[in-house]
Each structure stands twice: as C-alpha cells, then as structure tokens.
C-alpha cells in the first residue's frame, strides 16, 4: 500500500513497510521488484531510503527519477497498489560520537538520503550545512527542507536556474571553510563524489560517500556491483557496493579506476592468476 | 523428497546455482542454508581473481546478462574460510571449480581431495581453454572429457564429479557423452549461453566485457531442451538442471525433462528465499499429482502415458 | 534510409523474417507491403509440406516456441501463385529455401533461377541433413558451405545468396566464414535456437514435435552476440539481423552490432504493422543521434569513440 | 476503456472499440495483448466476441474463463484501463438466406458467441433453439438469455447441478427432432464439436462448428493454428483456424485426426516429400 506524489523532476513514493522502517538507519537503501507478476524485468531496482515515518506502523519514502522502463513502471503506481520491496540494505552512514561540524553534499536525487542523516547528526549535536546541486532547478531535490534544517544551505545548478551557477564542488570549499567543517557526507553521481573527495583531501578532513553502481541482488551474492576500494591493509580489492557500501570513506575509493580492474588490485589480470597458471598466486 | 546425486544422498533436490549464492554467508542471514539440498559454491580458481570490469550487468527481456569473470578469493582462501563456514552451518557443499587448462583443474582437484566437507565437485567447463586459443572447453567434447577425466582421477572416489555443460555446443549430447565416458558421475546443465546487449544511447556494448552469460527465465526453454536431449540419450546419468527456475512449476518442468536435482540461480537475486520457496512449491505440486517418490517424477515426460494422440512426439532435431 | 544487401539496393533496412509473414497477402490487408525494405518468404520446399502436428505453439518468458515444420505449398505452387502476387504488390521478395540435401537446395535454386521477381535467395540452413542422420546443416561449417556453394553456382549471378545461420553452433564465426568461402553474398542471423517446454499439468512436452524454435525478445541477446562476433570477424560481409526485434531501439541494437538490414518476425504476430513501426522508430532514433547516412550506424558499436574507460571492451569468449 | 463484471465462473469485459463493433459479424473473434507494456507474454490471446453494442460509438464484450497467466491478468483489469485489442478476425458463422430452424449448441464459454448469432438468425425469421452445457451449473454461460431468446432452451451439466445430467450431445437429438431443425451451429470444446457433428450426420443436416486452436497471430501468418479439414476437392489440407475458420462445416473437419497430420493430407510425411527427396511431389 502506498501513496505517490510528484516533487519537481522526481517522484516520491511512500510504502507501508514496518520491518524496514524499524531497522532503518540513514544511508540504507531498498530494492524494489518492477513490472508486476508477469514482468519481463527480472532485476530489482535499488533506491535510497529518503525518509521513514511511524505512520501505519512504519512507512518508507523513496524519491526517484524516471530513467528507463523500471522507474517508468514505478511512476505509474497508484495509491493502494502493493509493492515488493526488500530492505534495509547496505552499510549506512557512520555517524560521529562527538558533536562535530558536518557538510552534507547532494547531487540530483542523491540529496534524498541526506535528510534522515541530517536529523541523526543534529540529534547528536552536530552542526549541519547543506550543499545541494543539480543540472537545473527542477532537479535540485529538497532545497526547502535543507533550508529549514541546515545551518546554511548552498544550492548550485549547472544552468544557473537556481542558486549559484556551477557544481557542488565549486561551492563546497567556501562552505567547508565558513562552517569550519570536520567531516563531509556526500551522495550523488560518481563524478561529484570524486570531486567532493578531492576537496576533502585539500581540507584534510574525512569524507563519507554513498556510491551508485548497477546492482542485480543488493545483498552480496551476484558480484555485479563492485568497485576498486583500498582496504585497511593497503591492498585494492574489488568490493561490493551493496554490502561493503554503498557508503565508503571517499579517500579509499579509487574513483579514477571505477569501471576498470586496476592492475594492482588483488587478483587483477596480468598477474599470471588470470592467465590460468595452475600454481601461481597474484598477491596484488 | 530425498534424491541422489550419483551415490550421494541429498535431503531434497533444490540447490543454489554456482556463482549465484556468494560465499553462502549472505543467504545464511536470511535462513538456515542446511535446509537446501546443497549449496553450490561459486567457481573456485587457483589464484584470487578480481574478475571483469564494470558494468557487469545488463537486463534483457526476462533475462540477465552478466560478466563477473569468476571474481573470487582463490582456492586457498576458499579452503581456509568459506568452505569451513559452510560446513559449520551444516550445509552440504558442492564445490564448483574453474580453470584455464587441464593442469589447473587437476591442481584444484588435488587441493579439494583432502578437504573435509566436499559433498561433490562440479566442474565448470564454460572456461576459455588457454591451450586452444581461449576456446571454451564445454564446446569441445574431447577437451571437456580430458578435464573431467583428470579431475575424476584426482578426487577421492567417494566424491562425485559433476560436469557442467553449456547450451552453446553444436551437439550437447556429444559433449555429455564425452564427459560421462571421461568419468563424470553426473552432469549439470545448463550454464549460461553467451549473449550480448548494446546500449543504444551510448552506442557501445552494455557490458564492459562485451559479451556476457544469459541467465534467468528467458533461457529456461534451452535448459529444458538440453536436459531432455541428454536424458533421452543417457537415461542412467543423474542430471542437475538449472536455467531460469524461479517457481516450483519451473523446477517441475526441469524434473519432468530429466533432472534429479534443480539449482536456483538468478531467481536468488530477486528473492533470497527463492530456493526454499521453490522447494515448497515443488513438494506441493508433486503431492497434488499423487507422486509418492520424487524419483518417479524424474524424466516422466519422456514416458508416454498410453496412446495420447494429441501428444505424439516426433523428435527430429530441427527448430522449424 | 537506403541500404544494400550485397549489390542489391533496398529502399529501407526493415524486412519481414522468413516464415513470419505468411504468403505476404495477409500483411497486404493491413498496409502496402512495398513500403518494407523487402518481404522474406516462408522457407520454400520442393514438395508441398503439411508440417508438424499441433500443438505447434508454446509461450515461454518473453519468447515463443514454435514447431510449424515448414508447412507450405511447395515450390511449384509458390512460383505459380505466391511469388507473382508479391511482385504485383510491388514488394521486393527475398525467397527463403529449405531442403534436406544439397541436391534439394540445388533443385530449388534451379527453379528460382529463371523466376522473375526474386530479389535475393535466403538459404535456410536450419534443416536436418538427411545424409548426416538429420544433423542440422547450420551446425556444421562444411555442410553449410556445400549447400551455399551449390545454390550460388545455380542462381543467376546478379541475385545475392544469403546464408541464414542459427546460434546453436559451437562456433558461429566458423560457420559464417565457411558460408562466405562457399560464395554467400550476405549472411542472415539468427534463426531460432532449439528449445523446449513441458506442460507441468499434462506432464508431457508442450509441443507435439517435442522441441521447437525459440523466438521473440528472449533471444535478442543471442542475436546481438552472433552479429557482433561475425561482424568483428568478417567486417566486409553484409549481415541481415533478426531475433526479438519489436521496436526501433531493438533494431538499432542489431544495426550497431553490425546488421545492415533487420528482419521482424515474432513481433508481427503481435502487431501486423510492427515492420513499419520499427522502421519509423529506427529513422527517428538515427535522426536524434545525428546520423546522416544509415550506413554510418552499421557496426558502430565496434568502433570505440576515443578513450572511454568505463567502456573498455575485452572480448574473451566466455560467458562468466 | 472498459468495464468488467463476474458472471458465474466467467469474467465479462466490455471495451470501447468502434472499429471492431462496426465490422462485427457473429462468430468473429478478437485478440488481446496481455501483461502490459513490460509483459513477458508475447502472444496475444484470442476471445470470441460475445456482444457488440452501439454505446460510446461501439463496444465489444468478451466472456472468458481464467485459465493461465494471460487470462488472470485480464481478470484484474479495472474500469478505465486501456486494452490493446485487434479484430474482428476470422470467418464468421454463415447464415441461411431462408428462415430455417436452427439449433445452437454451446459448451462452457463457447455459448458466448451464440447470442449475437441467434439475434441475426431471428431477424431473418429463423427459429432458434438452444442446448447449452458445461461441467457444472456455474460454468453454463448465458442460460437466462437463452431462455429469453430461444424457442426452447435445454441445459445440461455433467454433475447434474443444472438441467439434465449429461452432455450437450446427449440432449441434442431430442431437441433437433422436436424442433425439426434444419441446421446446427455449435461452439465449445473440440470433443463436443465432434459429438455434435456426429449427431448432425445422423440427422443428415448441416452443422457449422467454431473451433478453438492455440493461436499466435490470429490473422494467418504464423501457421500454428492448423487442423485437418477436407477441402472442396476432397483433399485434406492443414488449414488455419484463424482465417479459414474458426467456423467450419462440421463434416469437413477431421476431428479424430486433430493434433496429427493425417497420412493422406496434402504434403503429409511418409510421402517422400518430407524425407527431402529433391524431385518428388506428394499429391496427398
Ligand atoms: C544503492 C543505490 C541507490 C539508488 N538510489 C536511487 C534513488 O534514491 N533515486 C533514484 O532515482 N535512483 C536511485 N538509484 C538508481 C536507480 O536504481 C536506477 O535509476 C534504476 O535502477 C533504473 O531503473 P530503470 O529500469 O528505470 O532504468 P534502466 O536503465 O532501464 O535499468 C535497467 C537496468 O540497469 C541497471 N542499472 C544500470 N545502471 C545503473 C545505475 N547507475 N544504478 C542502478 N542501476 C543501474 C538496473 O539495475 C537495471 O537492471 C540508486 C541506485 C543504487 C545502486
Ligand atoms: C478463436 C478462439 C476463441 C476463443 N474464445 C474464447 C472465449 O470466448 N472465452 C475464453 O475464455 N476463451 C476463449 N478462447 C481460449 C483463450 O484464448 C485461452 O483461454 C487463452 O488464450 C488462455 O490464455 P492464458 O494466458 O490464460 O493461458 P495459458 O494456458 O497460460 O496460455 C498460454 C498460451 O497458450 C496458448 N493456448 C494454448 N492452448 C490454447 C487454446 N486451446 N486456445 C487458445 N490458446 C491456447 C495461448 O495462446 C497462449 O499463447 C478462445 C480461443 C480461440 C483460439
Ligand atoms: C552472476 C552469475 C554468476 C555465475 N557464476 C557462475 C560460476 O561461477 N560458475 C558456474 O558454473 N556458473 C555460474 N553461473 C551460471 C549459473 O550457475 C547458472 O548455470 C545459470 O545462471 C542458469 O541458471 P539461472 O537462470 O537460474 O541463473 C553464474 C550465473 C550468474 C547469473
Ligand atoms: C512461426 C515461425 C516460423 C518460422 N519459419 C521460418 C522459416 O520458414 N525459415 C526460416 O529461415 N526461419 C523461420 N523462422 C525464424 C525467423 O525467421 C527468425 O529467424 C526468428 O524467429 C527470430 O526472429 P524473431 O524473434 O523476430 O521472430 C520462423 C520463426 C517463427 C516464429
Ligand atoms: S548487487 Fe549483488 S553483490 Fe552487490
Ligand atoms: S494464428 Fe497465426 S496462422 Fe492462425
């Protein structure tokens, strides 16, 4: 059972799902079956949880953009339709024990997962500043709510139709400096996360990024959602965005190598491992 | 619903498909994996493998194209960590192995030979044969037989060796027969046929690897056909069926074609409980149809129930 | 959107698929069939054929299994009635032929050699070879080449000979190359892979013939893969693509993989206008993407647009 | 746009389809796409047209039983959903020029296509008697309407829950005799049509049967819907139920050979034709 509404370029969809609402922590995502019982689309679609509310025993709200057939189908759901939804999934945003200054950076619908996080952070006494961006005004999600919640809120659009003309990363350094931020949280397109991580490195503060990789299962069995991440031991491994992520420490993600197998990753080809040598091991 | 994989008894005929159940630990979060007939591991390689670049996934009508590239920890880490965890959970573990040469398969078998908790070995033959310009073993009866014979000679006699075949062979029966002659105790079919998708927006292949394996409901007709042909030619050989099973009806279809065990793969991505659900549905369907023993259903579609003229079956092997 | 099938110009790249447009008259009730790039006939045999018993049809996920068995009037009735009617309607007719032996294909080619209104001959190689225990020609490079060479030698030099291949070969490129070496002017792929369904209620095969050909959206990934592999190996050979095309996007996918013409089959069963709709959609998509000539899109997915690291494509032929 | 209602064991579905309604003649059928835009069911489903009405420019009513996934989906359609429907298709019932006595025999949902026929026949001054049967009372379709329209109406059920216990063919001879019928029209399962045709032969009167064969296209291109029918020249041909039928003269249909290729059919195997002899012709 659910309700739907349009929010600018996005669709917001609220589902009664007490089990998910109860266990939810900011940064979690869910997967949704699309197309109904006779669907030709066997893969679930992943969506960040935007909000959970206690109504009806617990509801979950998702915010999504129509991209292809699955989201087009979702956009046509009506009140009282039922939805097959699995969650909460993934590693949520780690939150600091102490009250620190946090900048929350969101791109496009990536902003959606930042408000529950902001809530939690503020409950712990953290200061929260928002930087939200998108290509155009109608695709900036949550500006009003950010203005209500954030100490400051900076908006950016690439076409200048709202806030500053430019990208999130253009506005970020000033916001960090002004807020004297201790940590950054970011959710949005991969290019933005890469940029945000670079800014964090300049300021030498930690950054938690929530990545988006195509996923077939969402709970760790299919191995389709991997990206190269540097482990505690300094070794790069192809790790699963769905269970080891989607939230990673930004500096651990090898953004420039996403979509490749870095030659120095554990088990990378080139080492004789992938050539099929029987008794070799690639220690990456 | 006991069944036998060669001489090994399984509590029920539903297993996971190789490469579709992670390390086993992920499913164990949801239910007790010892309730499955067996857990088939991902295909284990000698060395750790990082696999293919992403995107590794594309969806096609009723199908999934994937190119994971056998990402995995390598046999040593597998034996040290994954296999013991499966045993602790009480799961029957069928270990799938993959290699690029007969020597590599043999070396894998040697490592497994002494390992406790190996219920059976499944030999994934859908791997490029380095010695044959990367031609896939499973397309070549002789190469397949050679691998199977080497593994059979190396494994303990009481551990069944299951050869896993793919549908894109010119003559699946020839490959099956070669594997049995090479010593396979059972056969598993089907692995994913090679497919491809092109993104019409980027105008490039949807998968980084170009081609990928096609799985899911779309391939079930190929699985049924392969099981049917192989069971007809080699009725005494135990067959593990897989390919597009997501309901008890799908599983029953494969059983009627000749499978004495059925693996669930892609459906697990949609629903971690798919294996147990398929099992329950299969049990109900068999009960409804009055079967007392599971074995009575295996291959039943081959045995005409008297003279039913609307279902006379003439099997000439042409699709038209 | 002109295109060339070998040296023959077609007004546009969309044709019907063999065996999916009846005699042509059925579609002509709905629209002017001369608006299609060509009409490909059902596969014509020497003698009239009654085909297979019913049921000839089973639906599978996103696919159709059919076993019609080349029901048709035989070449004499075809030449006397069907072909002239197509010509009268202004349709470009590609005549598909099917036989059980090299001699039969040759005899068919001889009948067609003098017939007016044959734009091209498509050689359906998915037929059981009587001389080889019913093994399908298309699975055997040498047998395929022999048929193609015989037809090529018999047909008038100005009528292109198109060899139609099926995906269930161990090595589609080997079959393709053999056909080209045998004289094929173009290749058509894919014919239907062999599939099967079992009715879990009657517990018998769903088709009277047991196995059938799998068509429809489910097989598109196999079609794209075959086109891709053959175009990569034989970039100069014109390819007609088919398999699961029901929209302009589907057609574009096949074009980007290497097809210079695209046939619509199963989708016609759903919508008699499917061919014209696919054509219109394909035109729009090409326009959106800024193509000036249709030929510029053919095989484009093979040509990397500079260094796009997320789309580096390593083509090792393994599904995993 | 449509409306739906339950009628005993059946679903009745009314669609606004002026083009179909206008060209409709009794015995026509339509095909319906099932499963929506993302369907995994590529084959259309065939249904006899039960009724057409002039409302909204022309509506078409279908009556169907839920058999598998396609009809289950159809049964869930709601008012104002749209439906992709093609028709009218097939060869309708031929109607006599003169006012003759007609017995209309229907089995299960096969009865549905008989009422529009009865209407046409009565307009031509024909006498109409009904024999409708099914396995049980809730599966006899249209008993009330038959009672209103028919000179007589005889109902049969196999379990005796309505009318006579038995089959349509058990009741038919008496009805024919009483009504002094000149012709029979029948629509229902193949076994019933076979029985009705045998009864007609006994009485030496013509019978028109409407057959049901699995169909992929419905308009003559796929060749999946064939059955052996004796042609005017005495030769048995495998003809298409969708365009040469679904209505045939009963005595022409080789019921006992449905589901086979009779050895004497044109182009049947056994003649060397199917063995691939290059220069032979099987003249069947
Ligand atoms: C952890 C996570 C959280 C997400 N949160 C949101 C969100 O809050 N709001 C939102 O609008 N979108 C979100 N997405 C993206 C969303 O999953 C995709 O937009 C959606 O799957 C597209 O489905 P489609 O059928 O409309 O598009 P199609 O392009 O037709 O999808 C077809 C297939 O592509 C896969 N796919 C390809 N690329 C991607 C990708 N980058 N991400 C995910 N799947 C991909 C899909 O899984 C599916 O199998 C999230 C993705 C992930 C992984
Ligand atoms: C000319 C004609 C008129 C019909 N009129 C009616 C009617 O008025 N009311 C009604 O309830 N049903 C009617 N039917 C039968 C109806 O088409 C089937 O019940 C329906 O197709 C079943 O679809 P499904 O998906 O529910 O079942 P499934 O069994 O899942 O169907 C799957 C596939 O089987 C095919 N199929 C198998 N057997 C048959 C068969 N005997 N007939 C048709 N398709 C078959 C279907 O086309 C479909 O592709 C008619 C059939 C024909 C050919
Ligand atoms: C993501 C993925 C990974 C797979 N990995 C393996 C593997 O490692 N070894 C193997 O033999 N088969 C592998 N397979 C093939 C499956 O075991 C199975 O044979 C195939 O997917 C058909 O079954 P399904 O349709 O139920 O998925 C894999 C399939 C998928 C989808
Ligand atoms: C009912 C039916 C009949 C067919 N008959 C022929 C035929 O006579 N000759 C042939 O070469 N291919 C035949 N085919 C194969 C098609 O031409 C085509 O290659 C295949 O169906 C894939 O395309 P599609 O998915 O668009 O249908 C037939 C396919 C179907 C479904
Ligand atoms: S989505 Fe399957 S492992 Fe991450
Ligand atoms: S249903 Fe296609 S020819 Fe009759």
């Amino acid at each position: 059972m659910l309700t739907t509404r349009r929010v600018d370029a996005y669709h917001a969809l609220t589902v009664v799902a007490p089990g998910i609402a109860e266990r939810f922590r900011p940064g979690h995502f869910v997967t949704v079956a699309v197309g109904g019982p006779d669907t030709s689309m066997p893969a679930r679609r992943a969506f960040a949880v935007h909000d959970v509310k206690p109504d009806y025993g617990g509801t979950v709200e998702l915010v999504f953009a129509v991209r292809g057939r699955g989201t087009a189908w979702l956009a046509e759901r009506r009140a009282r339709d039922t939805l097959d939804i699995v969650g909460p999934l993934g590693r949520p945003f780690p939150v600091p024990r102490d009250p620190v200054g946090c900048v929350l950076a969101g791109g496009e619908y990536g902003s959606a997962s930042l408000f529950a996080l902001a809530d939690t952070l503020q409950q712990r006494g953290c200061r929260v500043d928002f930087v939200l961006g998108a290509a155009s005004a109608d695709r900036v999600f949550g500006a009003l709510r950010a203005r209500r919640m954030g100490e400051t809120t900076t908006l950016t659009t690439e076409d200048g139709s709202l806030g500053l003309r430019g990208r999130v990363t253009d506005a970020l350094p000033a916001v960090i400096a002004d807020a004297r931020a201790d940590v950054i949280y970011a959710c949005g397109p991969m290019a933005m996360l890469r940029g945000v991580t670079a800014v964090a490195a300049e300021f030498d503060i930690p950054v938690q990024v929530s990545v988006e990789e195509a996923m077939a299962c969402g709970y760790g069995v299919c191995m389709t959602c991997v990206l190269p991440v540097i482990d505690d031991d300094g070794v790069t491994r192809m790790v699963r965005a769905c269970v080891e992520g989607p939230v990673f420490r930004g500096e651990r993600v090898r953004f420039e190598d996403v979509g490749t197998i870095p030659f120095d990753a554990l088990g990378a080809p080139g080492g004789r491992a992938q050539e099929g040598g029987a008794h070799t091991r690639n220690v990456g | 619903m006991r069944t036998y994989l060669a001489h090994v008894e399984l509590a029920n005929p539903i297993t996971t498909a190789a490469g579709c159940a992670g390390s086993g630990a992920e499913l164990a979060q949801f239910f007790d994996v010892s309730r499955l007939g067996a857990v088939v591991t991902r295909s284990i390689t000698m060395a750790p493998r990082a696999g293919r670049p992403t995107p590794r996934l594309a969806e096609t009508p009723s199908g999934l194209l994937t190119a994971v590239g056998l990402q995995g920890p390598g046999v040593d880490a597998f034996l040290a960590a994954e296999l013991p965890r499966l045993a602790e959970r009480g799961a029957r573990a069928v270990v799938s192995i993959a290699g690029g040469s007969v020597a590599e398969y043999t070396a894998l078998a040697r490592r497994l030979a002494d390992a406790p908790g190996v219920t059976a070995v499944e030999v994934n033959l859908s791997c490029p044969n380095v010695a044959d310009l990367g031609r896939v073993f499973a397309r070549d009866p002789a190469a397949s037989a050679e691998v199977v014979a080497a593994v059979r000679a190396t494994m303990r006699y009481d551990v069944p060796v299951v050869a896993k075949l793919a549908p894109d062979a010119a003559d699946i029966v020839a490959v099956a027969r070669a594997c049995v002659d090479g010593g396979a105790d059972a056969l598993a079919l089907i692995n994913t046929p090679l497919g491809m998708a092109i993104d019409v927006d980027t105008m490039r292949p949807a998968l980084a690897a170009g081609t990928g394996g096609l799985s899911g409901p779309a391939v079930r007709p190929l699985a049924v056909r392969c099981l049917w042909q192989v069971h007809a030619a080699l009725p005494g050989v135990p067959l593990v069926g897989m390919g597009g099973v997501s309901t008890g009806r799908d599983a029953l279809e494969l059983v009627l074609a000749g499978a004495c065990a059925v693996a669930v793969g892609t459906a697990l991505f949609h629903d971690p409980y798919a294996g147990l659900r398929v099992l329950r549905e299969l049990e109900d369907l068999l009960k409804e149809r009055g079967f007392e023993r599971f074995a009575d259903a295996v291959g039943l579609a081959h045995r005409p129930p008297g003279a039913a003229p609307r279902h006379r079956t003439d099997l000439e092997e042409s699709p038209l």
Side-chain angles (χ1 to χ4, degrees), chain A, chain B:
Chain A
M1 204 177 88
L2 51 86
T3 61
T4 56
R5 63 193 165 93
R6 285 299 300 259
V7 187
D8 295 328
Y10 302 103
H11 297 258
L13 199 147
T14 306
V15 196
V16 178
I20 299 175
E22 192 189 325
R23 287 174 293 148
F24 167 77
R25 281 164 59 203
H28 271 143
F29 68 96
V30 295
T31 59
V32 180
V34 290
D38 305 304
T39 186
S40 59
M41 299 182 277
R44 285 176 174 273
R45 305 308 197 240
F47 300 96
V49 174
H50 169 225
D51 231 344
V52 304
K53 296 224 177 84
D55 329 358
Y56 306 101
T59 64
V60 170
E61 189 171 42
L62 319 176
V63 171
F64 65 95
V66 170
R67 178 197 313 215
R69 293 190 308 150
T71 44
W73 180 87
L74 263 187
E76 279 168 20
R77 293 312 93 202
R78 295 288 160 260
R80 262 178 297 217
D81 286 353
T82 56
L83 215 58
D84 172 353
I85 171 169
V86 169
L89 298 166
R91 176 178 170 264
F93 287 111
V95 284
R97 247 164 318 184
D98 306 316
V100 297
C102 306
V103 175
L104 274 53
E108 309 270 332
Y109 55 77
S111 314
S113 58
L114 299 179
F115 301 102
L117 173 65
D119 220 40
T120 305
L121 291 171
Q122 288 180 331
Q123 280 168 21
R124 303 199 167 203
C126 296
R127 167 186 168 141
V128 169
D129 294 85
F130 284 98
V131 186
L132 307 183
S136 55
D138 63 328
R139 292 169 63 182
V140 176
F141 181 80
L144 276 179
R145 192 158 170 204
R147 287 210 177 101
R148 264 201 319 271
M149 295 184 80
E151 197 73 22
T152 68
T153 292
T154 311
L155 305 176
T156 66
T157 51
E158 283 170 44
D159 65 358
S161 56
L162 181 71
L164 305 174
R165 179 189 298 269
R167 292 161 188 266
V168 165
T169 40
D170 299 329
L172 195 57
V175 175
I176 296 173
D178 291 353
R180 298 170 180 276
D182 303 296
V183 50
I184 312 179
Y185 292 92
C187 185
M190 207 59 95
M192 178 196 124
L193 301 182
R194 181 181 182 172
V196 169
T197 300
V199 173
E202 275 169 39
F203 286 84
D204 195 24
I205 56 175
V207 56
Q208 298 283 346
V209 299
S210 176
V211 304
E212 181 183 315
E213 276 290 344
M215 295 181 175
C217 76
Y219 70 96
V221 293
C222 76
M223 308 302 284
T224 57
C225 62
V226 299
L227 71 175
V229 172
I230 302 163
D231 224 334
D232 292 336
D233 57 4
V235 174
T236 296
R237 291 188 168 80
M238 300 304 296
V239 307
R240 295 162 297 182
C242 66
V243 290
E244 278 96 5
V247 176
F248 292 99
R249 284 172 54 184
E251 71 278 13
R252 292 292 182 87
V253 178
R254 293 178 58 173
F255 287 107
E256 67 284 13
D257 296 321
V258 166
T260 72
I261 307 293
F263 73 94
D264 57 346
L266 180 69
R272 279 188 297 159
Q274 293 242 347
E275 244 93 75
H279 296 280
T280 61
R281 264 187 85 188
N282 186 328
V283 237
Chain B
M1 285 234 295
R2 292 178 188 290
T3 189
Y4 285 86
L5 192 57
H7 59 274
V8 172
E9 187 180 289
L10 304 180
N12 68 64
I14 304 298
T15 77
T16 61
C20 299
S23 68
E26 297 83 1
L27 284 181
Q29 298 172 286
F30 294 96
F31 63 93
D32 173 3
V33 289
S34 73
R35 292 169 61 194
L36 293 169
V39 172
V40 180
T41 70
R42 51 181 137 201
S43 290
I44 305 300
T45 51
M46 282 304 288
R49 277 175 69 110
R52 297 293 181 90
T54 54
R56 292 179 170 184
L57 163 71
E59 195 183 55
T60 64
S62 297
L64 229 51
L65 273 175
T66 50
V68 168
L70 301 180
Q71 178 171 350
V75 68
D76 291 338
F78 170 76
L79 290 176
E82 281 186 25
L83 187 59
R85 292 289 292 139
L86 282 170
E88 275 168 39
R89 295 197 164 91
R92 285 204 164 269
V94 174
V95 180
S96 172
I97 58 173
S101 63
V102 177
E104 192 170 359
Y105 282 103
T106 313
L108 282 160
R110 204 168 298 132
R111 302 284 177 104
L112 295 181
D114 309 318
V118 178
T119 297
V121 172
E122 188 176 280
V123 184
N124 175 358
L125 293 166
S126 294
C127 299
N129 181 352
V130 175
D132 188 15
L133 300 167
R135 185 169 170 209
V136 169
F137 288 100
R139 301 202 187 151
D140 180 350
S144 296
E146 202 187 338
V147 170
V148 170
V151 172
R152 181 62 286 173
T154 312
M155 281 309 295
R156 287 202 336 249
Y157 75 96
D158 59 342
V159 176
V161 171
V162 185
K164 183 163 176 187
L165 313 183
D168 18 36
D171 183 351
I172 188 84
V173 171
V175 183
R177 192 169 274 134
C179 288
V180 171
D181 291 347
D185 302 291
L187 302 171
L189 43 182
I190 58 171
N191 213 319
T192 50
L194 198 67
M196 184 170 185
I198 292 171
D199 182 322
V200 296
D201 295 317
T202 64
M203 302 199 279
R204 296 286 302 147
L207 301 177
T211 56
L214 184 63
S215 66
V219 306
R220 202 169 65 241
L222 304 180
V224 174
R225 185 262 296 178
C226 289
L227 286 164
W228 176 275
Q229 291 181 322
V230 172
H231 186 69
L234 305 166
V237 177
L239 304 182
V240 185
M242 69 268 305
V245 172
S246 52
T247 68
R249 291 178 77 87
D250 303 340
L252 180 55
E253 194 180 356
L254 269 53
V255 168
L256 294 168
C260 66
V262 172
V264 179
T266 302
L268 292 173
F269 303 165
H270 199 269
D271 172 12
Y273 298 97
L276 292 184
R277 181 175 46 73
V278 166
L279 173 59
R280 197 179 56 241
E281 291 169 355
L282 178 62
E283 282 171 347
D284 291 347
L285 289 167
L286 290 171
K287 208 172 291 165
E288 276 172 26
R289 285 159 182 70
F291 286 99
E292 299 199 343
R293 300 183 324 147
F294 172 69
D296 294 337
V298 174
L300 189 71
H302 292 259
R303 298 190 284 280
R310 261 195 92 88
H311 285 103
R312 224 181 289 158
T313 300
D314 64 298
L315 272 163
E316 186 182 288
E317 206 207 275
S318 151
L320 301 174

